[in-house]
Amino acid sequence: MLDTYSLRLPGRVHAGLDALSSLSGIVEREGAHSVLLLSDKGVAAGGLVDLVTKHIGVPCRIIDDIPSEPACDAVQAIAAQAAGEDELIVAVGGGSVMDTAKLVGVLGPELTVRDLLKDPSCARKRRRTVMIPTTCGTGSEATCNAIVLVPEEELKVGIVSDAMIADYVILDPVIVASLPRRIAASTGLDALCHAIECYTGAKANPFSDLFALEAMRLIFPSIVEACREGGSAEAKGAMLIAAFYGGVAITSSGTTAVHALSYPLGGRYHIAHGVSNAMLLAPVMRFNAPSCTARLARVWDDCICTGGHDLSDEEKAGRVIARLEEIVGELDIPRLSSFGITQEDIPPLAKAGLEVTRLMVNNPRKMDQSEAEAIFREAL
């Protein structure tokens, strides 16, 4: 655990039923005469953009073709399209939309996405941002991170800058009421990864522990029900809040080998971020368990177990990992082989994942090439 630590939060968070109605007050508070709304085709087709725009009250320019898992040059093209005098950026979507909006908010004629890949400290906030997540998992609304694909490296890369933290976040369960099972599962498992990685990581601290544990207390009893077609509004609402808590935990601690090893899966095979994390979650936690046994035991005691607590810490840690495997199975997450990945592909995947040092240094147990390969083989 770190001796010194910090926490960076969005400027203001509005949550609960009818939280969307706060948007009109935000526009007024910011003195915005126009709004740039960023979204994607699926969100727009689902009527969620229309649900948001009725609360804006000023001229609104809409760009609704943000791609899923966007490459850095695609984000740059969107930033060029988004250039103008819009005084407020509103992002309505999942992680890709919100990450793109964060980047658009700091880019300018003299600063490109590729510049930020080299030196994120160049980022300066140019436009205020409002994040309205439409999924229950990425936590992007809470973080100062933006993930982009770098095609020539076949890798997803995180750009991290305090300038990208949201000025406003709106968490309204109405937005996620009709979330499809596939997306709910992928993003929900991403939220679970955020929470348990932050809690067991080398940079864990009292701030990140607070949010990570509370996220898991909400996620474990809710995630399967929230992903069910017609699942309860209460479960989906719990996941929406849990995803935000997981994002907050990231800003103070950070993810570990699960995310690091998953980045080349997204970069080379275009596997959805939450799915690639989910496939690796239990194998990485099993590897890490000897270095974070007591913390996994607390996850069992505080977030999963409803009965006696007389097991050993090692037994509790094993039950947490078993529960992770059960959830991944219940939510129909495929194996790596389903994406055409073979034994021959594993060494370069492991090498690329280990090179994501920003995250690997936070892993509680040092991992070498052969150990990373073994984790991929377990997920194959």
Side-chain angles (χ1 to χ4, degrees):
M1 182 177 289
L2 296 177
D3 293 326
T4 59
Y5 38 91
S6 62
L7 183 66
R8 182 71 193 270
L9 292 165
R12 188 179 298 227
V13 182
H14 299 269
L17 287 172
D18 200 36
L20 272 178
S21 64
S22 65
L23 182 56
S24 58
I26 292 171
V27 172
E28 182 178 355
R29 185 180 304 114
E30 290 295 319
H33 301 297
S34 60
V35 164
L36 170 67
L37 189 149
L38 300 180
S39 191
D40 63 40
K41 292 298 184 185
V43 170
L48 299 181
V49 168
D50 292 338
L51 197 62
V52 170
T53 54
K54 71 179 184 179
H55 295 289
I56 289 177
V58 297
C60 179
R61 185 159 60 106
I62 298 173
I63 298 175
D64 64 1
D65 56 355
I66 308 298
S68 61
E69 317 288 336
C72 56
D73 293 335
V75 174
Q76 187 63 48
I78 292 163
Q81 184 184 357
E85 299 302 318
D86 305 282
E87 295 175 276
L88 189 65
I89 295 175
V90 175
V92 184
S96 295
V97 169
M98 291 187 285
D99 285 0
T100 299
K102 287 190 251 183
L103 289 165
V104 169
V106 301
L107 294 174
E110 76 291 351
L111 184 67
T112 68
V113 177
R114 289 187 178 274
D115 291 333
L116 291 179
L117 286 167
K118 296 175 185 175
D119 184 7
S121 69
C122 294
R124 298 289 183 274
K125 187 177 285 289
R126 299 167 188 267
R127 286 185 271 185
R128 307 270 280 178
T129 54
V130 182
M131 302 291 157
I132 306 177
T134 61
T135 64
C136 301
T138 70
S140 179
E141 67 276 8
T143 73
C144 53
N145 305 354
I147 308 300
V148 294
L149 172 64
V150 183
E152 65 273 19
E153 297 180 14
E154 295 186 317
L155 190 67
K156 289 181 180 178
V157 177
I159 298 171
V160 183
S161 169
D162 282 355
M164 293 194 294
I165 201 81
D167 298 288
Y168 300 91
V169 172
I170 298 176
L171 305 173
D172 193 324
V174 170
I175 289 282
V176 297
S178 58
L179 193 63
R181 173 182 168 83
R182 175 181 59 84
I183 297 174
S186 173
T187 58
L189 284 162
D190 194 21
L192 178 54
C193 290
H194 293 160
I196 200 165
E197 287 181 81
C198 287
Y199 185 66
T200 57
K203 297 178 184 178
N205 61 76
F207 287 161
S208 61
D209 287 356
L210 175 68
F211 288 95
L213 277 173
E214 187 58 30
M216 287 188 281
R217 289 187 189 107
L218 292 169
I219 290 170
F220 277 109
S222 302
I223 185 169
V224 174
E225 169 64 18
C227 294
R228 188 173 61 81
E229 296 294 347
S232 77
E234 290 78 12
K236 291 182 179 181
M239 289 299 299
L240 185 64
I241 298 297
F244 175 76
Y245 288 164
V248 173
I250 289 173
T251 69
S252 187
S253 173
T255 54
T256 61
V258 177
H259 272 67
L261 297 179
S262 81
Y263 279 170
L265 293 175
R268 299 181 184 197
Y269 298 94
H270 306 289
I271 302 171
H273 178 66
V275 172
S276 59
N277 285 334
M279 290 187 290
L280 297 170
L281 177 55
V284 170
M285 286 298 150
R286 186 175 289 109
F287 171 83
N288 285 345
S291 297
C292 56
T293 303
R295 291 206 146 227
L296 288 174
R298 186 176 176 188
V299 171
W300 174 258
D301 285 335
D302 289 10
C303 309
I304 303 176
C305 180
T306 57
H309 301 274
D310 54 349
L311 300 173
S312 69
D313 281 359
E314 290 75 14
E315 290 171 319
K316 292 174 183 177
R319 292 200 178 190
V320 170
I321 295 167
R323 182 60 187 141
L324 295 177
E325 290 178 311
E326 289 172 359
I327 292 171
V328 168
E330 288 177 50
L331 296 182
D332 304 319
I333 299 299
R335 310 283 297 178
L336 288 174
S337 56
S338 301
F339 298 94
I341 298 171
T342 66
Q343 292 280 357
E344 290 71 28
D345 299 316
I346 286 177
L349 284 171
K351 181 176 184 295
L354 291 172
E355 289 172 352
V356 186
T357 54
R358 176 178 66 88
L359 304 183
M360 289 303 302
V361 296
N362 192 33
N363 203 60
R365 183 181 176 192
K366 187 174 175 58
M367 184 184 298
D368 63 23
Q369 175 73 21
S370 64
E371 291 163 337
E373 289 180 16
I375 287 169
F376 278 109
R377 282 196 295 273
E378 187 178 342
L380 194 61

